[in-house]
Amino acid sequence: MGPREHLVELVGDPPVGQDADLAGPGERADLALLARALQFVEQIDRREERVRVGVLGVDGAETDRGVQDVRPSDDRTGHRGLPAEVVVSVDRHDQAHGPRSMVPREHNGSGAPANADTPDGARRSRGRTRYYVPDAPFGAPMAELPDKRTAFMDWYLAVVEASQLTDKRYPVKGMNVWTPYGFRARRQLDAVLVREIEATGSAAVEFPALIPSTEFAKEREHIKGFDAQVYWVTKGGLTDLDIPLVLRPTSETAMYPIFAVWVRSHRDLPLNVYQIVNTFRYETKTTRPFIRVREIHFFEEHTCQANEAHATERVRSNLAAFRRMAEAFALPYLPIRRPEWDKFPGAFYSVALDAPVGEARTLQLGSIHHYRENFSRPYGIRYEAPDGSQQYVHQTTFGLSERLLGAIVAVHGDAKGAVFPSAVAPYQVVVIPIPGSEAGEGPLRTATEATERLHRHGLRAHLDGGDERPGAKYYRWETAGVPLRLEVGRREADSRSLTSVDRLGTKGRVALDRLEHEVAERLAEFDRALRARADAAFAAAFSTATSLAELAGSTTVRIVAWCGSEECGHRIETAIDGALLGTPEEPLPTPLGDPGPCVACGATNGSRWAVAGRPL
RNA sequence: GGGACUGUGGGGUAGCUUGGUCCAUCCUUCGGGGUUCGGGACUCCGAGACGCCAGUUCAAAUCUGGCCAGUCCCA
């Protein structure tokens, strides 16, 4: 939707030098817009042009006196995002116009033809000259991003675009291009995943992307859950394939036939392997960069364990690994065991990792599944136990994706744009020289020295030596989410001590001679502050509800007592217009007492705390 | 699966109702020059688009048909 904008066409028809009368016909008149239009015209007036305007009334009673029409744009153009438009009739020789600076530009160029600048810029149509009035007060700062709290998805999309993390112009729905900047973020993110999963004894592998339909179909629940969203490869060149191939939506069915060959003995267990590959799902809902895509950048661990207890232990180990990953991302989250009807297709149970993202919305960051023997039986993954018996393995999986990047944007981002924790920031530090006519070469030399010094010490630093003005660079890198900015002007060059400003606004000085240490400290402080901000939002994101009626229009994720029945679960989902996410796998942010009676049926027997929200 | 809507430079848009005033406007972007540079500079010169294919017409961004792509709503 974007910023609220209206188009009001105020058509006056008197020649310049007379009064132009503006008014709105009754029901459509928008006084605020009229006021803005008048403000605009007053600006013209103040520029000593000879247009005079008055309002005759909003009921249209006197509209025949020069005022022809006032209406919202959507009636005519069907376009959203148009700025207010004022059409003022003027004599062609007496252009009414203001200086360019009078009309603020819209953020990232959306809307605002804003051409009330020069006589040449004003367009003429059927004898009238049109002036465009942006939907913002004159002299206001450049338009902000949409409001995160009230227009979350608009805000999110604007931030993703403005921070240049992806290019969405690729002509296939749900498939975005990773830009150099976005790819840097992704690579850092993956590095954290690799570090933490390998610390638990998992090894990287890579399986093919194409899966024979015969293998894909072996586990009934699994195929039922996925067959509506797989891409098929049915031809090789001009020939139809005997056995069609599935482009992996996830890799169970690619890996498990091979696991059956790999696992022979209890000595082969546990088998813990992971891969980071692209998977494909034909999403039918609206796609969103990082959050819902058709080509998924996917981390998936698959393990085989000797028995259910070991598999349960692996689930715990994955939960602990994710805790460390989330620590690096400064992301608070809640592990939630999904209800039966919402578990992964084929799983014994599923634990999802959910992050609240405001207004009762939640974002699933990943999931950990316990499969028991559900896949090992159809795929024949068996081993010979020490006692000589043949046993089926118990399996687990752990899946994460670029949604983590979406979550980082969604959780940490603010009114200025993205904010990256230092562990994933494409650039941790941006160094901005401030030349100035009297400063000479000092600033640039010092900035270069500082950047090189940071590079030598393994910090991701970027020298922005472009010839934009410093202020423009500040805004750009703030939007892009860089944690720390170093400013190097004449003062800094002379004193060999740089000005630092972190993305949350904390300012300071760092000595060039101890640069890497002081920058590392600043980044650590920044990460702590970012975490604290996220934690505060997390704590405020939950509230309890004790009746179904309370769930309607929830503005936080709700904690409710639930008897565990599917029927009550669905009633809860209907009440909140979202989903019953399940039961917390770890303690809630604020300790709660015993759950009372089920919010849906009132049963006290076996009730437990459950989480309900509206997943993105 | 059903319905509605929308396609104009890299991004955002105007023009379409009533075909010609439009080798298509403005902002932004991009290339070049100059003055600048401590929070989104100014200025000059230049570059860049009517989704595709037909049809109607003296004339099509505009009207008609088909196709393609996208968005939203409902199932």
Side-chain angles (χ1 to χ4, degrees):
Chain A
M1 270 165 276
R4 253 178 83 70
E5 288 167 337
H6 313 263
L7 172 90
V8 177
E9 189 176 8
L10 301 169
V11 182
D13 210 18
V16 173
Q18 298 182 20
D19 287 351
D21 299 321
L22 301 180
E27 58 193 50
R28 284 285 166 77
D30 181 328
L31 285 173
L33 282 163
L34 276 175
R36 177 158 293 130
L38 286 172
Q39 187 182 9
F40 170 77
V41 180
E42 281 166 14
Q43 291 275 350
I44 295 172
D45 202 28
R46 262 185 241 135
R47 302 298 297 182
E48 302 179 73
E49 300 290 347
R50 286 170 291 153
V51 177
R52 299 204 174 277
V53 182
V55 177
L56 293 180
V58 294
D59 58 358
E62 300 188 63
T63 52
D64 56 329
R65 272 192 52 206
V67 178
Q68 296 179 351
D69 196 9
V70 177
R71 62 191 168 181
S73 66
D74 305 58
D75 282 4
R76 192 186 54 176
T77 66
H79 288 297
R80 297 175 309 181
L82 275 176
E85 177 188 32
V86 168
V87 181
V88 184
S89 291
V90 293
D91 182 296
R92 289 195 181 196
H93 304 291
D94 278 292
Q95 302 299 332
H97 60 87
R100 180 170 292 164
S101 59
M102 189 180 93
V103 182
R105 284 165 302 167
E106 289 286 305
H107 180 76
N108 74 20
S110 68
N115 67 337
D117 49 358
T118 67
D120 289 340
R123 290 180 306 103
R124 290 171 202 134
S125 175
R126 302 203 169 111
R128 297 197 289 258
T129 304
R130 296 181 171 207
Y131 295 93
Y132 293 88
V133 181
D135 190 30
F138 295 103
M142 187 166 292
E144 306 277 319
L145 295 166
D147 184 68
K148 183 180 180 183
R149 201 175 56 78
T150 57
F152 176 80
M153 193 43 73
D154 293 331
W155 169 86
Y156 175 81
L157 293 171
V159 170
V160 168
E161 172 144 11
S163 59
Q164 294 188 53
L165 290 165
T166 68
D167 196 320
K168 63 173 187 188
R169 290 171 295 187
Y170 193 76
V172 177
K173 176 188 169 93
M175 297 189 183
N176 299 320
V177 174
W178 290 88
T179 60
Y181 190 70
F183 196 85
R184 280 172 177 275
R186 181 179 120 177
R187 180 185 279 163
Q188 291 308 130
L189 190 137
D190 286 350
V192 172
L193 306 188
V194 167
R195 183 184 77 210
E196 296 303 338
I197 202 66
E198 295 199 345
T200 71
S202 208
V205 295
E206 189 165 322
F207 279 72
L210 294 177
I211 303 167
S213 55
T214 47
E215 295 296 339
F216 184 70
K218 274 186 178 165
E219 208 288 323
R220 183 168 293 136
E221 293 298 318
H222 187 70
I223 186 171
K224 222 166 69 188
F226 277 106
D227 69 354
Q229 41 176 262
V230 293
Y231 284 94
W232 288 94
V233 176
T234 59
K235 294 182 80 170
L238 301 175
T239 326
D240 289 336
L241 297 176
D242 288 343
I243 299 178
L245 302 169
V246 167
L247 198 48
R248 63 181 165 217
T250 170
S251 301
E252 281 76 2
T253 59
M255 291 182 165
Y256 297 175
I258 302 301
F259 282 9
V261 180
W262 285 356
V263 176
R264 306 289 299 280
S265 151
H266 66 276
R267 292 166 195 266
D268 296 325
L269 299 176
L271 175 67
N272 298 330
V273 297
Y274 75 93
Q275 63 180 10
I276 298 180
V277 296
N278 288 6
T279 61
F280 298 83
R281 295 181 189 174
Y282 185 77
E283 288 286 351
T284 52
K285 292 185 197 159
T286 304
T287 57
R288 307 286 189 203
F290 306 132
I291 289 177
R292 185 178 293 119
V293 290
R294 283 176 164 180
E295 180 173 7
I296 305 164
H297 178 67
F298 199 45
F299 162 98
E300 50 180 333
E301 187 196 44
H302 294 257
T303 83
C304 298
Q305 311 293 335
N307 54 46
E308 181 174 346
H310 285 188
T312 301
E313 185 45 46
R314 188 65 196 170
V315 168
R316 293 222 178 82
S317 166
N318 283 160
L319 281 168
F322 187 72
R323 189 176 308 125
R324 294 189 299 272
M325 294 169 184
E327 192 62 39
F329 307 144
L331 280 181
Y333 67 97
L334 188 63
I336 301 176
R337 191 178 295 215
R338 286 282 185 259
E340 276 298 301
W341 62 88
D342 197 24
K343 65 187 187 184
F344 182 82
F348 165 44
Y349 68 79
S350 296
V351 178
L353 310 158
D354 286 315
V357 289
E359 296 284 307
R361 309 311 297 266
T362 61
L363 186 57
Q364 180 176 324
L365 308 178
S367 52
I368 299 168
H369 311 289
H370 191 314
Y371 290 167
R372 257 188 184 172
E373 300 175 354
N374 292 348
F375 285 87
S376 62
R377 285 181 180 272
Y379 286 91
I381 311 174
R382 285 184 302 177
Y383 67 97
E384 186 169 334
D387 66 4
S389 64
Q390 290 287 320
Q391 305 285 338
Y392 285 102
V393 299
H394 283 248
Q395 292 183 276
T396 70
T397 58
F398 177 14
L400 299 168
S401 75
E402 72 253 62
R403 264 196 183 192
L404 280 168
L405 199 51
I408 287 166
V409 171
V411 169
H412 296 309
D414 57 25
K416 290 176 169 181
V419 184
F420 282 107
S422 65
V424 285
Y427 298 121
Q428 296 165 308
V429 182
V430 60
V431 184
I432 297 178
I434 301 164
S437 55
E438 298 170 11
E441 291 295 305
L444 184 57
R445 253 203 323 270
T446 307
T448 306
E449 180 186 345
T451 308
E452 286 170 355
R453 184 163 178 143
L454 293 171
H455 282 161
R456 273 201 304 281
H457 291 87
L459 286 153
R460 297 190 295 280
H462 177 70
L463 173 66
D464 187 349
D467 60 6
E468 284 172 298
R469 314 178 102 225
K473 295 176 183 176
Y474 299 165
Y475 277 94
R476 199 153 42 74
W477 291 112
E478 280 169 358
T479 304
V482 175
L484 193 68
R485 173 175 84 233
L486 296 179
E487 302 173 11
V488 191
R490 187 183 173 184
R491 292 197 294 270
E492 286 80 1
D494 291 346
S495 66
R496 295 185 63 77
S497 126
L498 315 187
T499 298
S500 74
V501 184
D502 78 18
R503 180 58 179 75
L504 298 177
T506 304
K507 294 187 182 178
R509 306 278 290 182
V510 290
L512 190 53
D513 294 333
R514 298 182 23 84
L515 189 62
E516 61 281 3
H517 301 107
E518 300 200 8
V519 162
E521 280 169 28
R522 291 302 150 90
L523 288 174
E525 280 168 31
F526 165 78
D527 284 338
R528 277 194 294 277
L530 186 64
R531 177 73 202 211
R533 184 165 88 166
D535 281 343
F538 183 74
F542 297 91
S543 64
T544 55
T546 54
S547 70
L548 286 183
E550 262 183 83
L551 293 177
S554 288
T555 55
T556 68
V557 178
R558 305 313 288 265
I559 312 287
V560 298
W562 173 48
C563 67
S565 80
E566 180 161 351
E567 189 193 339
C568 288
H570 290 318
R571 288 178 63 193
I572 292 167
E573 296 188 327
T574 304
I576 200 171
D577 190 25
L580 184 69
L581 300 167
T583 54
E585 190 74 6
E586 288 176 3
L588 289 158
T590 47
L592 299 161
D594 288 334
C598 173
V599 286
C601 68
T604 49
N605 206 7
S607 84
R608 75 288 311 261
W609 291 115
V611 183
R614 296 187 291 120
L616 275 179

